[in-house]
Amino acid sequence: MGKPTGFLEYERKTSETIPPKERIKNFQEFHIPLSEAEQRKQGARCMECGVPFCQSGMMIKGMTSGCPLHNLIPEWNDLVYHGNWRQAYNRLKKTSSFPEFTSRVCPALCEAACTCGLNGQPTNVKENEHAIIEKAYEEGWAAAKPPQIRTGKKIAIIGSGPSGLAAADQLNKRGHSVTVFEREDRVGGLLMYGIPNMKLEKWVIDRKIKVMEEEGVLFMTNTNIGKDYRAAKLLKDYDCVILACGASNPRDIKVPGREADGIYFAVDFLKANTKSLLNSNLTDGKNISAKGKHVIVIGGGDTGNDCVGTSIRHGCASVTQLEMMPKLPEQRTPDNSWPEWPRVLKTDYGQEEAIAVFGSDPRIYQTTVKEFKKDKDGKVCAVVTVKLEPKKDEKTGRMNMVPVAGSEKELPADLVLIAAGFLGSQKYVTDAFGVEVNARTNVATAPDSYKTNVDKVFVTGDMHRGQSLVVWAVREGREVAKEVDFSLMGYTNLT
Ligand SMILES: Cc1cc2nc3c(=O)[nH]c(=O)nc-3n(C[C@H](O)[C@H](O)[C@H](O)COP(=O)(O)OP(=O)(O)OC[C@H]3O[C@@H](n4cnc5c(N)ncnc54)[C@H](O)[C@@H]3O)c2cc1C
Ligand code: SF4
């Protein structure tokens, strides 16, 4: 342990952020990294626990505690403290395919399970990760390292989100020849066309893709497997196929008036924005603009928050975020103790910005939409909301949120964004390959396996696990790579 008293001597310090009213003027990332000296102090705060919960990635009560990649966090915290950045990078790369992405967008499951956080502030793990990977690029350590030997095996990966990319990276390093097929015009999946630019600037993805290309991975964009390219041909041309198509069926709000103009799924809104931003700095008129509009976001989660932040950057007249569930407490409750994921109130960047611009938190809790109202031109002009209260279902014992009679209210709305989650895989892809799906329409496999019912076809990421997180997608990508490698070679040395 580098600095036994580090956690006593130093306070947790995180990067400064550009103030909300300034940062909403553009779509750039808004964290100002700590100085190298300060980051090293943050590394010194790690207690290097004998049993490090931060890297456990275990499930407790259905929620993840610690890093699903089992990143060697105490090791690299110590190496950061000692300024041994090269070795810190070597240890980080051992378990993590894309620290440049996770250190920007991960909710830091590690920090929630940090022992320092049990009785104070957790170690600043995520920003240590960020400092290591950015240093590695600066110093040239993250440059391409193509494999020395090729195995002659060909693998097709469908989908270029974090899961498909992690599988591609691992299998290519192992010497297999990997082609990634992507139906969009750019690579990255939801990293590119879901998560907004202010959370993850898109040059960060392009930088990594360039390295992967130099290492030999082939990317075929604008290629929709199951539509432009037949599944049967893919199965004939490749030794193995990995489905990494995500969970892209958005959950709808099926209430009267849904057909009105001006109601969009969140991802369509976010994707159009990023595409127009990258293609023309928002001058091509192809984004869905919230400028001057009263925006209603249905869904209080992270995607809803991204819609709030994006609408504010467009210059919306107002933004309201509807959340079905009750407001969470400020502190952990006794039935949610460490190291469980803390079920506490989080005010994310978009909500902070709404508070700065409009003077109040945009979230309304225990509320949903009962009806969309439209004007004479068929455009949405208002939403009718209704309050919800928890009620126990006598048969199942489950708590459901049910409408409260007489609690209806009308809110003005010119733009409605539905951010109510996603429902499993897309049928045209699963039908094309003949793979079985489970009750949640995720592609079915045996537990802890990634092999589908169809010979040579594997599945990974959100398409397998259901809607999740980037860190889980990367973990799944690395795991499927091991199983595929084993099936092709009869053994595997991938970790
Ligand atoms: C708006 C939004 C914000 C999010 N923010 C965060 C965040 O901040 N942090 C976090 O950890 N997670 C976040 N997530 C979740 C995270 O992005 C996903 O869990 C993760 O991207 C899943 O990775 P994946 O590789 O399984 O699938 P995806 O990223 O969904 O990628 C699947 C890819 O497959 C392609 N594809 C599908 N079908 C075909 C086909 N037939 N042929 C060719 N290509 C095909 C798709 O175009 C897509 O590019 C967010 C999700 C959304 C929607
Ligand atoms: S990937 Fe996420 S959980 Fe894992 S170390 Fe990084 S920030 Fe923590």
Side-chain angles (χ1 to χ4, degrees):
M1 184 168 173
K3 177 104 179 140
T5 53
F7 70 99
L8 296 170
E9 283 178 45
Y10 306 128
E11 294 288 323
R12 175 181 163 100
K13 195 166 175 197
T14 53
S15 55
E16 297 273 321
T17 54
I18 297 173
K21 282 192 173 169
E22 269 305 303
R23 69 191 189 220
I24 59 168
K25 293 178 185 163
N26 59 54
F27 284 86
Q28 285 155 19
E29 288 181 14
F30 51 82
H31 291 272
I32 305 160
L34 297 175
S35 68
E36 187 170 325
E38 185 56 53
Q39 202 69 58
R40 287 179 59 181
K41 276 190 196 166
Q42 294 302 309
R45 290 191 72 244
C46 179
M47 302 199 297
E48 283 171 60
C49 309
V51 180
F53 288 89
C54 60
Q55 64 180 56
S56 66
M58 58 187 165
M59 300 300 287
I60 312 177
K61 294 191 198 159
M63 293 177 294
T64 312
S65 173
C67 178
L69 291 168
H70 307 306
N71 275 347
L72 304 168
I73 296 165
E75 280 190 40
W76 39 261
N77 277 339
D78 186 41
L79 290 160
V80 166
Y81 164 57
H82 282 105
N84 191 345
W85 295 96
R86 176 95 206 218
Q87 184 61 356
Y89 173 66
N90 291 341
R91 301 306 284 161
L92 175 58
K93 282 306 285 175
K94 216 150 176 70
T95 55
S96 174
S97 304
F98 307 121
E100 55 274 75
F101 307 152
T102 47
S103 70
R104 286 175 165 85
V105 305
C106 188
L109 308 165
C110 52
E111 292 182 15
C114 170
T115 314
C116 263
L118 178 56
N119 191 20
Q121 289 292 312
T123 305
N124 188 349
V125 179
K126 183 170 157 178
E127 292 189 9
N128 287 347
E129 182 180 325
H130 186 264
I132 298 168
I133 184 63
E134 290 307 319
K135 183 88 170 171
Y137 275 104
E138 248 171 67
E139 298 289 338
W141 307 326
K145 291 181 196 67
Q148 301 286 308
I149 298 169
R150 289 285 172 190
T151 61
K153 306 283 185 194
K154 288 173 69 190
I155 299 168
I157 299 183
I158 309 174
S160 67
S163 189
L165 290 180
D169 192 42
Q170 289 289 91
L171 290 164
N172 179 63
K173 287 204 165 94
R174 177 75 172 90
H176 304 308
S177 299
V178 180
T179 306
V180 179
F181 295 89
E182 172 54 59
R183 66 185 171 191
E184 295 293 345
D185 57 348
R186 288 187 172 89
V187 169
L190 287 172
L191 296 170
M192 177 61 74
Y193 283 146
I195 299 174
N197 206 63
M198 51 273 193
K199 258 164 89 179
L200 172 62
E201 287 186 5
K202 305 312 167 191
W203 63 264
V204 179
I205 306 171
D206 297 342
R207 177 177 68 177
K208 182 63 193 176
I209 298 303
K210 185 165 173 282
V211 171
M212 289 176 69
E213 281 176 334
E214 286 166 9
E215 289 176 340
V217 179
L218 285 176
F219 290 95
M220 303 274 288
T221 49
N222 295 310
T223 312
N224 194 339
I225 305 296
K227 288 194 175 156
D228 310 333
Y229 197 124
R230 281 186 310 114
K233 177 161 166 52
L234 213 62
L235 284 168
K236 189 164 151 282
D237 293 348
Y238 290 84
D239 295 294
C240 167
V241 173
I242 301 177
L243 306 176
C245 305
S248 34
N249 286 327
R251 189 179 280 122
D252 207 349
I253 303 287
K254 291 183 180 152
V255 297
R258 172 64 183 88
E259 71 290 350
D261 288 341
I263 304 175
Y264 299 91
F265 288 116
V267 168
D268 295 338
F269 170 73
L270 295 170
K271 175 176 152 186
N273 192 67
T274 301
K275 213 174 213 185
S276 176
L277 182 73
L278 296 179
N279 287 347
S280 71
N281 201 18
L282 296 178
T283 59
D284 62 6
K286 292 192 176 162
N287 68 326
I288 301 161
S289 178
K291 192 171 170 56
K293 294 182 180 164
H294 295 291
V295 181
I296 302 285
V297 179
I298 307 175
D302 293 348
T303 303
N305 173 67
D306 290 335
C307 291
V308 171
T310 302
S311 299
I312 287 181
R313 279 164 180 72
H314 286 177
C316 61
S318 71
V319 59
T320 306
Q321 196 180 1
L322 306 180
E323 165 59 51
M324 281 179 72
M325 301 308 287
K327 188 173 179 179
L328 288 169
E330 303 268 348
Q331 300 289 335
R332 286 179 186 271
T333 51
D335 66 346
N336 175 220
S337 54
W338 177 93
E340 286 171 26
W341 176 251
R343 277 182 282 109
V344 295
L345 183 69
K346 179 174 98 173
T347 300
D348 213 333
Y349 74 96
Q351 288 132 7
E352 270 179 11
E353 291 161 1
I355 292 167
V357 174
F358 299 114
S360 63
D361 196 311
R363 289 168 288 188
I364 303 181
Y365 296 92
Q366 294 188 233
T367 301
T368 192
V369 169
K370 199 178 163 187
E371 187 186 344
F372 298 108
K373 292 207 160 171
K374 49 188 176 181
D375 63 16
K376 59 178 177 20
D377 300 322
K379 277 198 66 78
V380 69
C381 59
V383 295
V384 179
T385 64
V386 63
K387 278 273 169 208
L388 300 168
E389 64 181 0
K391 196 168 176 197
K392 200 171 181 177
D393 182 317
E394 293 307 331
K395 274 193 202 144
T396 61
R398 273 189 55 180
M399 211 53 105
N400 292 326
M401 297 302 287
V402 297
V404 178
S407 64
E408 289 79 1
K409 263 192 182 170
E410 199 169 296
L411 298 175
D414 309 307
L415 176 65
V416 175
L417 303 170
I418 301 176
F422 295 86
L423 294 166
S425 55
Q426 287 189 303
K427 198 165 169 348
Y428 80 91
V429 187
T430 52
D431 281 355
F433 287 93
V435 292
E436 279 170 10
V437 296
N438 61 22
R440 311 180 79 170
T441 68
N442 301 322
V443 175
T445 63
D448 297 324
S449 171
Y450 297 79
K451 196 174 174 332
T452 71
N453 59 308
V454 178
D455 192 32
K456 301 202 315 191
V457 180
F458 294 76
V459 63
T460 183
D462 279 8
M463 193 180 192
H464 179 226
R465 189 181 178 80
Q467 186 196 4
S468 188
L469 293 172
V470 170
V471 64
W472 270 113
V474 175
R475 151 96 178 249
E476 291 241 331
R478 294 175 69 97
E479 292 292 317
V480 76
K482 276 192 231 170
E483 201 170 336
V484 165
D485 188 37
F486 189 90
S487 81
L488 293 174
M489 308 301 285
Y491 72 101
T492 186
N493 54 14
L494 290 176
T495 53

Short mmCIF file of all heavy atoms in Angstrom, two decimals, residues 105-107 158-164 181-184 188-191 194-195 199 223-225 244-247 267 270 303 306 422 426 428-429 460-463 468-471 473, ligand 1:
data_model
loop_
_atom_site.label_atom_id
_atom_site.label_comp_id
_atom_site.label_asym_id
_atom_site.label_seq_id
_atom_site.Cartn_x
_atom_site.Cartn_y
_atom_site.Cartn_z
N VAL A 105 -18.55 7.70 -19.34
CA VAL A 105 -20.01 7.50 -19.25
C VAL A 105 -20.45 6.50 -18.18
O VAL A 105 -21.65 6.34 -17.95
CB VAL A 105 -20.61 7.06 -20.61
CG1 VAL A 105 -20.26 8.04 -21.71
CG2 VAL A 105 -20.18 5.65 -21.00
N CYS A 106 -19.52 5.82 -17.53
CA CYS A 106 -19.92 4.79 -16.56
C CYS A 106 -20.49 5.45 -15.30
O CYS A 106 -19.95 6.46 -14.84
CB CYS A 106 -18.70 3.94 -16.21
SG CYS A 106 -19.13 2.52 -15.22
N PRO A 107 -21.55 4.89 -14.75
CA PRO A 107 -22.05 5.45 -13.48
C PRO A 107 -21.15 5.14 -12.28
O PRO A 107 -21.50 5.43 -11.15
CB PRO A 107 -23.43 4.81 -13.32
CG PRO A 107 -23.41 3.59 -14.15
CD PRO A 107 -22.41 3.81 -15.26
N ILE A 158 -22.18 -8.47 -35.85
CA ILE A 158 -23.24 -7.59 -36.33
C ILE A 158 -23.56 -6.59 -35.22
O ILE A 158 -24.07 -6.97 -34.17
CB ILE A 158 -24.50 -8.39 -36.71
CG1 ILE A 158 -24.10 -9.51 -37.66
CG2 ILE A 158 -25.53 -7.47 -37.36
CD1 ILE A 158 -25.22 -10.43 -37.99
N GLY A 159 -23.23 -5.34 -35.48
CA GLY A 159 -23.46 -4.29 -34.49
C GLY A 159 -22.14 -3.79 -33.95
O GLY A 159 -21.28 -4.57 -33.54
N SER A 160 -21.97 -2.45 -33.96
CA SER A 160 -20.69 -1.86 -33.55
C SER A 160 -20.81 -1.06 -32.26
O SER A 160 -20.06 -0.11 -32.05
CB SER A 160 -20.17 -0.97 -34.67
OG SER A 160 -21.03 0.15 -34.80
N GLY A 161 -21.77 -1.45 -31.40
CA GLY A 161 -21.84 -0.83 -30.07
C GLY A 161 -20.69 -1.34 -29.22
O GLY A 161 -19.85 -2.12 -29.69
N PRO A 162 -20.64 -0.94 -27.95
CA PRO A 162 -19.51 -1.32 -27.11
C PRO A 162 -19.32 -2.83 -26.99
O PRO A 162 -18.18 -3.30 -26.84
CB PRO A 162 -19.85 -0.69 -25.75
CG PRO A 162 -21.29 -0.30 -25.82
CD PRO A 162 -21.60 -0.07 -27.25
N SER A 163 -20.41 -3.58 -27.08
CA SER A 163 -20.30 -5.03 -26.93
C SER A 163 -19.65 -5.65 -28.18
O SER A 163 -18.71 -6.45 -28.07
CB SER A 163 -21.70 -5.60 -26.71
OG SER A 163 -21.58 -6.91 -26.37
N GLY A 164 -20.15 -5.28 -29.35
CA GLY A 164 -19.57 -5.78 -30.60
C GLY A 164 -18.12 -5.34 -30.73
O GLY A 164 -17.25 -6.11 -31.14
N PHE A 181 -20.14 -5.46 -38.95
CA PHE A 181 -21.17 -4.89 -39.83
C PHE A 181 -22.05 -3.94 -39.02
O PHE A 181 -22.49 -4.28 -37.92
CB PHE A 181 -22.05 -6.00 -40.42
CG PHE A 181 -21.29 -6.92 -41.34
CD1 PHE A 181 -20.65 -8.05 -40.85
CD2 PHE A 181 -21.21 -6.64 -42.69
CE1 PHE A 181 -19.94 -8.90 -41.70
CE2 PHE A 181 -20.51 -7.48 -43.56
CZ PHE A 181 -19.87 -8.61 -43.05
N GLU A 182 -22.31 -2.76 -39.59
CA GLU A 182 -23.11 -1.75 -38.87
C GLU A 182 -24.10 -1.13 -39.85
O GLU A 182 -23.70 -0.70 -40.93
CB GLU A 182 -22.16 -0.69 -38.28
CG GLU A 182 -22.84 0.52 -37.68
CD GLU A 182 -23.89 0.18 -36.63
OE1 GLU A 182 -23.56 -0.45 -35.63
OE2 GLU A 182 -25.08 0.55 -36.83
N ARG A 183 -25.36 -1.07 -39.45
CA ARG A 183 -26.37 -0.52 -40.37
C ARG A 183 -26.33 1.01 -40.43
O ARG A 183 -26.81 1.61 -41.40
CB ARG A 183 -27.76 -1.01 -39.97
CG ARG A 183 -28.25 -0.52 -38.64
CD ARG A 183 -29.58 -1.13 -38.23
NE ARG A 183 -29.88 -0.77 -36.86
CZ ARG A 183 -30.84 -1.29 -36.14
NH1 ARG A 183 -31.62 -2.22 -36.65
NH2 ARG A 183 -31.06 -0.90 -34.91
N GLU A 184 -25.78 1.65 -39.41
CA GLU A 184 -25.70 3.11 -39.42
C GLU A 184 -24.50 3.57 -40.25
O GLU A 184 -23.64 2.77 -40.61
CB GLU A 184 -25.54 3.65 -37.98
CG GLU A 184 -26.73 3.41 -37.09
CD GLU A 184 -27.97 4.19 -37.51
OE1 GLU A 184 -27.85 5.12 -38.31
OE2 GLU A 184 -29.06 3.84 -37.02
N GLY A 188 -20.16 2.67 -33.59
CA GLY A 188 -20.19 3.02 -32.16
C GLY A 188 -21.48 2.66 -31.44
O GLY A 188 -21.55 2.72 -30.22
N GLY A 189 -22.55 2.32 -32.20
CA GLY A 189 -23.82 1.97 -31.55
C GLY A 189 -24.34 3.15 -30.74
O GLY A 189 -24.25 4.31 -31.16
N LEU A 190 -24.81 2.87 -29.54
CA LEU A 190 -25.38 3.94 -28.71
C LEU A 190 -24.29 4.87 -28.17
O LEU A 190 -24.59 5.97 -27.72
CB LEU A 190 -26.19 3.35 -27.56
CG LEU A 190 -27.54 2.74 -27.98
CD1 LEU A 190 -28.19 2.02 -26.80
CD2 LEU A 190 -28.49 3.79 -28.53
N LEU A 191 -23.03 4.46 -28.25
CA LEU A 191 -21.96 5.40 -27.88
C LEU A 191 -21.98 6.58 -28.84
O LEU A 191 -21.74 7.72 -28.46
CB LEU A 191 -20.59 4.72 -27.98
CG LEU A 191 -20.26 3.56 -27.06
CD1 LEU A 191 -18.97 2.90 -27.49
CD2 LEU A 191 -20.15 4.02 -25.61
N GLY A 194 -26.57 7.58 -29.34
CA GLY A 194 -27.48 7.54 -28.19
C GLY A 194 -26.96 8.55 -27.17
O GLY A 194 -27.55 9.61 -26.95
N ILE A 195 -25.82 8.22 -26.61
CA ILE A 195 -25.20 9.08 -25.59
C ILE A 195 -24.80 10.41 -26.24
O ILE A 195 -24.08 10.42 -27.24
CB ILE A 195 -23.98 8.36 -24.98
CG1 ILE A 195 -24.43 7.05 -24.31
CG2 ILE A 195 -23.23 9.26 -24.01
CD1 ILE A 195 -23.31 6.16 -23.80
N LYS A 199 -21.55 14.21 -23.18
CA LYS A 199 -21.09 13.17 -22.26
C LYS A 199 -19.91 12.41 -22.86
O LYS A 199 -19.03 11.94 -22.15
CB LYS A 199 -22.23 12.19 -21.99
CG LYS A 199 -22.90 12.43 -20.65
CD LYS A 199 -24.23 11.76 -20.52
CE LYS A 199 -24.17 10.38 -19.99
NZ LYS A 199 -25.54 9.80 -19.88
N THR A 223 -24.59 -1.19 -43.63
CA THR A 223 -24.89 -2.57 -44.04
C THR A 223 -25.83 -3.19 -43.00
O THR A 223 -25.41 -3.49 -41.88
CB THR A 223 -23.60 -3.41 -44.13
OG1 THR A 223 -22.64 -2.67 -44.88
CG2 THR A 223 -23.85 -4.75 -44.80
N ASN A 224 -27.07 -3.33 -43.41
CA ASN A 224 -28.09 -3.83 -42.48
C ASN A 224 -28.26 -5.33 -42.69
O ASN A 224 -28.83 -5.77 -43.70
CB ASN A 224 -29.40 -3.08 -42.76
CG ASN A 224 -30.41 -3.27 -41.66
OD1 ASN A 224 -30.34 -4.23 -40.89
ND2 ASN A 224 -31.36 -2.37 -41.58
N ILE A 225 -27.76 -6.12 -41.75
CA ILE A 225 -27.82 -7.58 -41.90
C ILE A 225 -29.26 -8.04 -41.68
O ILE A 225 -29.89 -7.68 -40.68
CB ILE A 225 -26.87 -8.28 -40.90
CG1 ILE A 225 -25.45 -7.75 -41.06
CG2 ILE A 225 -26.94 -9.80 -41.05
CD1 ILE A 225 -24.77 -8.02 -42.38
N ALA A 244 -24.64 -8.61 -32.05
CA ALA A 244 -24.41 -7.58 -31.02
C ALA A 244 -25.25 -6.35 -31.39
O ALA A 244 -24.76 -5.23 -31.47
CB ALA A 244 -22.92 -7.22 -30.96
N CYS A 245 -26.55 -6.62 -31.63
CA CYS A 245 -27.42 -5.59 -32.24
C CYS A 245 -28.13 -4.70 -31.24
O CYS A 245 -28.94 -3.86 -31.63
CB CYS A 245 -28.46 -6.26 -33.13
SG CYS A 245 -27.75 -7.33 -34.36
N GLY A 246 -27.88 -4.87 -29.94
CA GLY A 246 -28.49 -3.99 -28.95
C GLY A 246 -29.95 -4.34 -28.70
O GLY A 246 -30.49 -5.31 -29.23
N ALA A 247 -30.56 -3.53 -27.85
CA ALA A 247 -31.99 -3.70 -27.51
C ALA A 247 -32.69 -2.45 -27.99
O ALA A 247 -32.86 -1.50 -27.25
CB ALA A 247 -32.14 -3.85 -26.00
N VAL A 267 -34.42 8.19 -28.41
CA VAL A 267 -33.21 7.87 -29.17
C VAL A 267 -33.27 8.50 -30.56
O VAL A 267 -32.24 8.93 -31.09
CB VAL A 267 -32.97 6.35 -29.21
CG1 VAL A 267 -31.90 6.00 -30.21
CG2 VAL A 267 -32.55 5.86 -27.83
N LEU A 270 -32.23 12.07 -30.00
CA LEU A 270 -30.80 12.21 -29.67
C LEU A 270 -29.93 11.88 -30.87
O LEU A 270 -28.92 12.53 -31.13
CB LEU A 270 -30.45 11.30 -28.48
CG LEU A 270 -31.14 11.67 -27.15
CD1 LEU A 270 -30.93 10.57 -26.11
CD2 LEU A 270 -30.63 13.01 -26.62
N THR A 303 -31.66 8.40 -19.91
CA THR A 303 -31.97 8.81 -21.29
C THR A 303 -32.83 10.07 -21.26
O THR A 303 -32.65 11.00 -22.05
CB THR A 303 -32.70 7.67 -22.03
OG1 THR A 303 -31.87 6.51 -21.97
CG2 THR A 303 -32.99 8.01 -23.46
N ASP A 306 -30.69 12.98 -20.67
CA ASP A 306 -29.98 13.40 -21.89
C ASP A 306 -30.90 14.25 -22.77
O ASP A 306 -30.44 15.19 -23.43
CB ASP A 306 -29.50 12.16 -22.67
CG ASP A 306 -28.36 11.43 -21.95
OD1 ASP A 306 -27.64 12.07 -21.17
OD2 ASP A 306 -28.20 10.22 -22.18
N PHE A 422 -36.46 0.21 -23.15
CA PHE A 422 -36.39 -0.58 -24.39
C PHE A 422 -36.85 -2.00 -24.12
O PHE A 422 -36.75 -2.50 -23.00
CB PHE A 422 -34.94 -0.60 -24.90
CG PHE A 422 -34.47 0.75 -25.32
CD1 PHE A 422 -33.92 1.62 -24.39
CD2 PHE A 422 -34.62 1.18 -26.62
CE1 PHE A 422 -33.51 2.88 -24.75
CE2 PHE A 422 -34.21 2.44 -26.99
CZ PHE A 422 -33.66 3.30 -26.06
N GLN A 426 -34.65 -7.00 -32.05
CA GLN A 426 -35.54 -6.72 -33.19
C GLN A 426 -35.79 -8.01 -33.96
O GLN A 426 -34.87 -8.78 -34.25
CB GLN A 426 -34.91 -5.66 -34.08
CG GLN A 426 -34.98 -4.29 -33.43
CD GLN A 426 -34.56 -3.19 -34.36
OE1 GLN A 426 -33.46 -3.21 -34.90
NE2 GLN A 426 -35.44 -2.22 -34.56
N TYR A 428 -36.67 -8.80 -37.02
CA TYR A 428 -36.15 -9.13 -38.36
C TYR A 428 -34.76 -9.76 -38.27
O TYR A 428 -34.39 -10.57 -39.12
CB TYR A 428 -36.19 -7.90 -39.29
CG TYR A 428 -35.06 -6.91 -39.13
CD1 TYR A 428 -33.89 -7.01 -39.86
CD2 TYR A 428 -35.17 -5.83 -38.26
CE1 TYR A 428 -32.86 -6.09 -39.72
CE2 TYR A 428 -34.16 -4.90 -38.11
CZ TYR A 428 -33.00 -5.04 -38.85
OH TYR A 428 -31.99 -4.12 -38.72
N VAL A 429 -34.02 -9.40 -37.24
CA VAL A 429 -32.67 -9.98 -37.10
C VAL A 429 -32.77 -11.40 -36.52
O VAL A 429 -32.14 -12.33 -37.03
CB VAL A 429 -31.75 -9.11 -36.20
CG1 VAL A 429 -30.33 -9.65 -36.23
CG2 VAL A 429 -31.78 -7.67 -36.62
N THR A 460 -24.39 -11.21 -27.77
CA THR A 460 -23.73 -10.46 -26.69
C THR A 460 -24.39 -9.09 -26.48
O THR A 460 -25.12 -8.60 -27.34
CB THR A 460 -22.23 -10.28 -27.02
OG1 THR A 460 -21.59 -9.61 -25.94
CG2 THR A 460 -22.02 -9.45 -28.28
N GLY A 461 -24.11 -8.50 -25.33
CA GLY A 461 -24.54 -7.12 -25.05
C GLY A 461 -26.02 -7.02 -24.72
O GLY A 461 -26.64 -7.96 -24.23
N ASP A 462 -26.58 -5.85 -25.00
CA ASP A 462 -28.00 -5.59 -24.68
C ASP A 462 -28.93 -6.57 -25.37
O ASP A 462 -30.02 -6.84 -24.89
CB ASP A 462 -28.38 -4.16 -25.11
CG ASP A 462 -27.95 -3.10 -24.11
OD1 ASP A 462 -27.23 -3.44 -23.15
OD2 ASP A 462 -28.32 -1.92 -24.30
N MET A 463 -28.52 -7.09 -26.51
CA MET A 463 -29.37 -8.04 -27.24
C MET A 463 -29.51 -9.35 -26.46
O MET A 463 -30.45 -10.10 -26.63
CB MET A 463 -28.74 -8.31 -28.61
CG MET A 463 -29.66 -9.01 -29.57
SD MET A 463 -28.81 -9.28 -31.13
CE MET A 463 -30.17 -9.74 -32.18
N SER A 468 -28.92 -2.20 -20.75
CA SER A 468 -28.03 -2.18 -19.59
C SER A 468 -27.07 -0.98 -19.66
O SER A 468 -27.49 0.11 -20.00
CB SER A 468 -27.27 -3.51 -19.54
OG SER A 468 -26.54 -3.62 -18.36
N LEU A 469 -25.81 -1.25 -19.37
CA LEU A 469 -24.81 -0.17 -19.30
C LEU A 469 -23.63 -0.49 -20.22
O LEU A 469 -23.39 -1.67 -20.54
CB LEU A 469 -24.26 -0.06 -17.88
CG LEU A 469 -25.22 0.41 -16.80
CD1 LEU A 469 -24.57 0.27 -15.42
CD2 LEU A 469 -25.62 1.87 -17.04
N VAL A 470 -22.87 0.52 -20.56
CA VAL A 470 -21.69 0.33 -21.42
C VAL A 470 -20.72 -0.67 -20.77
O VAL A 470 -20.21 -1.58 -21.44
CB VAL A 470 -21.01 1.69 -21.68
CG1 VAL A 470 -19.66 1.50 -22.35
CG2 VAL A 470 -21.91 2.58 -22.52
N VAL A 471 -20.51 -0.55 -19.47
CA VAL A 471 -19.54 -1.43 -18.81
C VAL A 471 -19.99 -2.89 -18.90
O VAL A 471 -19.18 -3.79 -19.11
CB VAL A 471 -19.27 -0.97 -17.36
CG1 VAL A 471 -20.50 -1.06 -16.47
CG2 VAL A 471 -18.14 -1.77 -16.74
N ALA A 473 -21.88 -4.08 -21.35
CA ALA A 473 -21.75 -4.45 -22.77
C ALA A 473 -20.30 -4.86 -23.06
O ALA A 473 -20.05 -5.85 -23.76
CB ALA A 473 -22.16 -3.27 -23.66
C1 LIG B 1 -29.76 7.65 -24.75
C2 LIG B 1 -28.96 6.62 -24.04
C3 LIG B 1 -27.99 7.05 -23.15
C4 LIG B 1 -27.23 6.09 -22.47
N1 LIG B 1 -26.29 6.54 -21.61
C5 LIG B 1 -25.49 5.64 -20.97
C6 LIG B 1 -24.48 6.09 -20.10
O1 LIG B 1 -24.29 7.28 -19.88
N2 LIG B 1 -23.71 5.15 -19.49
C7 LIG B 1 -23.88 3.82 -19.71
O2 LIG B 1 -23.13 3.01 -19.14
N3 LIG B 1 -24.84 3.36 -20.54
C8 LIG B 1 -25.66 4.25 -21.17
N4 LIG B 1 -26.64 3.78 -22.01
C9 LIG B 1 -26.76 2.34 -22.26
C10 LIG B 1 -25.66 1.85 -23.22
O3 LIG B 1 -25.47 2.77 -24.26
C11 LIG B 1 -26.00 0.46 -23.79
O4 LIG B 1 -26.22 -0.43 -22.71
C12 LIG B 1 -24.87 -0.08 -24.66
O5 LIG B 1 -24.56 0.80 -25.71
C13 LIG B 1 -25.25 -1.45 -25.25
O6 LIG B 1 -24.24 -1.88 -26.11
P1 LIG B 1 -24.48 -2.96 -27.28
O7 LIG B 1 -23.18 -3.08 -27.95
O8 LIG B 1 -25.09 -4.16 -26.70
O9 LIG B 1 -25.57 -2.32 -28.23
P2 LIG B 1 -25.74 -0.87 -28.99
O10 LIG B 1 -24.86 0.16 -28.39
O11 LIG B 1 -27.20 -0.64 -28.95
O12 LIG B 1 -25.24 -1.19 -30.44
C14 LIG B 1 -25.92 -2.04 -31.31
C15 LIG B 1 -25.55 -1.69 -32.73
O13 LIG B 1 -26.02 -2.70 -33.60
C16 LIG B 1 -26.46 -2.10 -34.81
N5 LIG B 1 -27.37 -3.03 -35.47
C17 LIG B 1 -28.55 -3.50 -35.01
N6 LIG B 1 -29.10 -4.35 -35.90
C18 LIG B 1 -28.25 -4.42 -36.95
C19 LIG B 1 -28.28 -5.12 -38.18
N7 LIG B 1 -29.28 -5.93 -38.49
N8 LIG B 1 -27.25 -4.97 -39.04
C20 LIG B 1 -26.21 -4.14 -38.73
N9 LIG B 1 -26.15 -3.44 -37.58
C21 LIG B 1 -27.15 -3.58 -36.69
C22 LIG B 1 -27.13 -0.84 -34.32
O14 LIG B 1 -27.26 0.11 -35.36
C23 LIG B 1 -26.17 -0.39 -33.23
O15 LIG B 1 -25.17 0.43 -33.75
C24 LIG B 1 -27.44 4.71 -22.69
C25 LIG B 1 -28.44 4.30 -23.56
C26 LIG B 1 -29.20 5.23 -24.22
C27 LIG B 1 -30.28 4.78 -25.14
#
